[in-house]
Amino acid sequence: MADVPTGVHTWLAQFALVAQSGRTMQIAPPAPERARSQAGPGKCCVILSPHPDDECIVGGLPLRLLREQGWRVVNIAITHGSKPERQLPRAHELAAACDRLGFENILLAPRGLQRVTAHSRQIDPAHWAACVQALAPHIERLRPDLLVLPHPQDAQAAHIGTHLLGLEVLAQQPAAYAPWVAFSEFWSTMASPNLMVQISPDDLADQIAALMQHEGEIRRNPYHLSLPAWMMDNVRRGAEQVGLPGSLAPDFMFATLYRVMRWQGGVLQPAWETGRFAAIGQPGLGMFQ
């Protein structure tokens, strides 16, 4: 104990106290009308959310595109979780969360799609084809310029299933359609992210306020309190996984990591040769123009 530098224990105690104090935060009221998404012409980002709450957790890039460049952001809820008693309440919570962020929201079914997993795809082709058919018309209609979906090893069955579902729907689109595709992560980190998106404290506060709308989920597990720490760790990892090994870490506190590809000619192609940082106040998001 004696060799611990002066102040470390105090700093750690304060850090834990701040994190625990978040348990007393009140759930934010319904979003004001001005915060709601407005459909219209211009670029469109679609998020394929395996569960209600993923739109908040991985939505940093879409949120910045909405606020800084006026993109339309549409969340498509793939499943509403596996607990039947929670599926309708989770749909209600999701609507409130999307309103907080200004995202439009599409439900594919009142209780969400069921059994969107790699296993279901293998053993029940008819069910899987019905899931593809439920999603495909929305992608055809919206023709997003950017599609956000989980990476292929995101270590949760519905996340991996959503990845497979999204790519299968893309494969049905006309050959000339060439959107950006951003793989997100939550349950498992990506081996090779190539984009680190800085998240401002104001945007992160709104993401947490939206995440708190998922009352039933944070009641059993207050994971909204660890979101800042997760984003801090993304900066640590991204400094050398998006940047070069041994490179200087960027001078910001919070970030979300993605692997960005381009869908061209019916296959995924590399988006760029080296990793990129999208810092606030710099032309980092211009890459999607």
Side-chain angles (χ1 to χ4, degrees):
M1 298 289 288
D3 60 351
V4 175
T6 302
V8 170
H9 291 295
T10 300
W11 174 78
L12 263 180
Q14 292 174 339
F15 195 93
L17 184 63
V18 167
Q20 288 297 319
S21 69
R23 292 176 179 269
T24 66
M25 291 189 297
Q26 300 296 310
I27 293 174
E33 187 65 30
R34 60 180 174 78
R36 300 179 190 272
S37 178
Q38 298 296 322
K43 290 188 176 292
C44 175
C45 171
V46 166
I47 307 169
L48 300 185
S49 293
H51 304 96
D53 72 9
D54 287 308
E55 78 292 339
C56 301
I57 294 168
V58 305
L61 171 59
L63 187 62
R64 282 192 55 189
L65 289 170
L66 169 68
R67 292 181 170 179
E68 297 174 24
Q69 299 194 4
W71 282 46
R72 178 185 183 187
V73 178
V74 182
N75 177 68
I76 299 181
I78 303 300
T79 86
H80 298 179
S82 59
K83 295 181 178 180
E85 71 276 13
R86 284 284 297 139
Q87 288 167 350
L88 293 179
R90 291 193 77 173
H92 178 76
E93 294 167 358
L94 174 61
C98 287
D99 282 347
R100 287 299 310 178
L101 294 173
F103 296 171
E104 297 172 53
N105 187 43
I106 293 174
L107 304 183
L108 296 181
R111 293 180 176 272
L113 300 183
Q114 308 297 313
R115 296 183 289 119
V116 181
T117 66
H119 181 65
S120 176
R121 179 174 182 256
Q122 182 178 15
I123 69 169
D124 194 346
H127 171 75
W128 184 262
C131 292
V132 171
Q133 185 56 42
L135 175 61
H138 299 287
I139 300 301
E140 293 167 4
R141 174 176 59 86
L142 293 167
R143 291 186 64 82
D145 300 277
L146 171 65
L147 184 67
V148 180
L149 70 166
H151 73 97
Q153 288 89 36
D154 206 18
Q156 203 280 343
H159 282 236
I160 295 171
T162 297
H163 171 89
L164 295 170
L165 186 68
L167 292 190
E168 197 153 325
V169 170
L170 278 179
Q172 297 181 354
Q173 304 309 304
Y177 180 48
W180 299 96
V181 177
F183 293 156
S184 61
E185 63 177 23
F186 183 63
W187 289 106
S188 177
T189 59
M190 287 181 283
S192 52
N194 64 358
L195 176 64
M196 176 156 61
V197 176
Q198 181 184 3
I199 306 299
S200 71
D202 286 344
D203 284 353
L204 179 52
D206 286 335
Q207 287 178 258
I208 292 172
L211 190 55
M212 291 175 71
Q213 302 297 320
H214 297 282
E215 297 182 56
E217 300 307 296
I218 65 171
R219 189 178 300 120
R220 66 174 180 82
N221 182 356
Y223 53 96
H224 62 298
L225 302 181
S226 63
L227 195 63
W230 177 68
M231 289 197 179
M232 292 169 68
D233 192 56
N234 289 340
V235 176
R236 175 194 66 82
R237 290 194 301 115
E240 301 198 30
Q241 289 189 311
V242 177
L244 296 174
S247 60
L248 188 67
D251 186 24
F252 47 78
M253 187 65 68
F254 307 115
T256 308
L257 301 181
Y258 304 89
R259 178 159 184 79
V260 180
M261 308 285 284
R262 197 73 187 259
W263 182 264
Q264 290 181 314
V267 294
L268 288 168
Q269 304 282 0
W272 42 72
E273 293 183 1
T274 59
R276 299 188 178 186
F277 296 163
I280 294 170
Q282 299 179 10
L285 295 181
M287 65 187 75
F288 295 111
Q289 295 301 318

